[in-house]
Amino acid sequence: MLFPRLHIVTDSLDVVRGAVGHGPVAIQVRVKSCDREAYQLTVAALALCRSAGDALCLVDDRVGVALAAGADGVHVGADDLPVAAARGVLGPAAILGATCRNPVSARQAVADGADYLGVGPVFATTTKDGLPPPIGPAGLAAVVDAVPGTPVLAIAGITPARVADLPGYGVAAISAVIADPAGATADFQRALSTRGDTD
Ligand code: TZP
Ligand code: MG
């Protein structure tokens, strides 16, 4: 399967149901409560991804949950296990993503074993607290240039209408798909497939 250019980050099975079936997608299960809830949601999301056939199931932050549930991989941020430590626990086959904000941290994450990068905040968002100022498409482009061959996904404030103007491999979204998961996902897939390759 082509590594998905669209990553939907969610704690909702309704969103997962709407997001699969419109083309390659990665579901990133992001649960802020506890491991038990994250595990249960991951098992259910993974089943939906497997039925779709072209969907990956990744887990935000929680390496143990990803391993226990048999998910395809993990996405780690600044407060989670370091990339090298996560890679050590996961082994070589799992997909490992890392959040980065600039070229230096991006190069380091790739050297430490990240397969792809989530880069942002590209735009302002109210979805996550405590973020640094947005880096904009130009900041994103600097990271894309720093890690040739590594898929870079834009995150924060991403909507289908913004996809055409973003450099990099793809995008990750939370709030843009909540109101209408299937419709918004289809819009994202259309926007991604009609833009030129920008990575
Ligand atoms: N990490 C950086 S920004 C962000 C996360 C999890 C939230 C992005 O959410 P939205 O709703 O797509 O702006
Ligand atoms: Mg995280």
Side-chain angles (χ1 to χ4, degrees):
M1 182 200 318
L2 176 74
F3 185 65
R5 292 181 188 271
L6 178 62
H7 290 221
I8 299 297
V9 183
T10 188
D11 63 359
S12 159
L13 280 182
D14 282 340
V15 168
V16 179
R17 280 187 207 98
V20 300
H22 308 274
V25 67
I27 302 297
Q28 185 190 129
V29 177
R30 181 175 183 260
V31 172
K32 287 300 164 190
S33 56
C34 62
D35 271 5
R36 176 73 64 101
E37 212 169 290
Y39 172 77
Q40 288 167 343
L41 188 64
T42 302
V43 168
L46 183 59
L48 291 168
C49 290
R50 291 292 181 264
S51 324
D54 58 357
L56 295 177
C57 183
L58 309 175
V59 178
D60 183 50
D61 302 351
R62 302 171 192 258
V63 173
V65 167
L67 286 170
D72 297 302
V74 179
H75 186 97
V76 291
D79 297 330
D80 307 320
L81 277 184
V83 174
R87 174 58 75 201
V89 174
L90 289 165
I95 297 166
L96 179 58
T99 298
C100 297
R101 315 210 184 285
N102 57 57
V104 172
S105 63
R107 281 193 210 95
Q108 188 64 55
V110 172
D112 287 345
D115 297 306
Y116 76 92
L117 304 178
V119 174
V122 176
F123 301 108
T125 182
T126 55
T127 305
K128 181 170 173 156
D129 294 331
L131 289 169
I135 61 173
L140 175 64
V143 176
V144 171
D145 290 346
V147 289
T150 298
V152 170
L153 309 172
I155 188 160
I158 309 302
T159 61
R162 283 175 153 162
V163 164
D165 299 326
L166 292 172
Y169 186 83
V171 298
I174 299 181
S175 53
V177 300
I178 290 173
D180 175 13
T185 300
D187 289 346
F188 268 119
Q189 295 288 19
R190 247 189 315 275
L192 285 161
S193 65
T194 54
R195 76 176 187 168
D197 265 354
T198 59
D199 52 318

